[in-house]
Amino acid sequence: MPAPETARIAWHTITAELSVGMLTLAFLSVLIKLLGVWIRSEHPAWRGLAWLAEPTAYLAAVGGLLSLSAGFFTGFAYTWPIEVLLTSSVVLNKTALSGFSLTFWLIFVLMRSFYGRELWKQAKLRRLYVTLAVGGFVSLALIGSTGGHLAGKRSALDALLYHLGIHTHALFILPRPVIYALLAVIGVSLALALGLRWRNSRKALLSKTS
């Protein structure tokens, strides 16, 4: 396999590391906010931390989503030749995981954009919001681990995955039809989520004008 140009692949490394950092911050901020909902402490420092965690999670998720999207593009454009990427089971699997993570974080950001802070006051929305953050972080960790092994080095999240019982030295190779099916499910799920949101917004608008 030919070695990619160092200067060009550096862009992929930068976007990948930036997405890991920002989305990890978003995930940790969600956990802090969730603890703030459960732990009703009147200590000013804890109340301030829980209050700041909520917008921090949103802003970090927006930045992380943008950098993850950029990393998706630079991975295809600046690493190995496209014919190599599309014939590697490991790379295709990494692409599927990237699609999952993008979907999780995109819906996460859309939920916060549509509902604002009020989503934390509704148990069902809050559970879905936290679930999206967990799914996005887990898929991100698997992407980082797989990408690290492809680059011949360890991921910064390998230690966490190891303690969770996930053996990152074993790459997650999936058959190509399975990967295509997963990507199709991701696309359909996103389209349904956006369609349902559009329908609800239209109903709300019609009820106000009637």
Side-chain angles (χ1 to χ4, degrees), residues 138-197:
V138 171
S139 56
L140 179 73
L142 297 178
I143 293 168
S145 177
T146 306
H149 285 292
L150 285 171
K153 58 182 180 180
R154 289 172 57 87
S155 165
L157 296 173
D158 272 359
L160 174 62
L161 295 176
Y162 175 79
H163 287 298
L164 293 175
I166 301 174
H167 302 289
T168 56
H169 62 276
L171 295 176
F172 307 91
I173 302 175
L174 296 175
R176 190 177 303 178
V178 174
I179 294 175
Y180 290 154
L182 291 175
L183 290 176
V185 170
I186 291 170
V188 171
S189 299
L190 178 58
L192 288 175
L194 294 176
L196 288 173
R197 178 57 196 175

Side-chain angles (χ1 to χ4, degrees), residues 4-21 67-68 70-76 78-79 94 147-148 151 153-154:
E5 297 179 14
T6 304
R8 298 179 67 190
I9 199 173
W11 286 106
H12 179 62
T13 303
I14 291 171
T15 54
E17 295 297 335
L18 184 61
S19 63
V20 169
S67 56
L68 185 61
F72 193 87
F73 169 77
T74 56
F76 272 97
Y78 295 156
T79 54
K94 185 172 181 286
K153 58 182 180 180
R154 289 172 57 87

Side-chain angles (χ1 to χ4, degrees), residues 41-52:
S41 174
E42 296 300 323
H43 195 284
W46 173 248
R47 291 180 62 187
L49 179 63
W51 187 88
L52 288 174

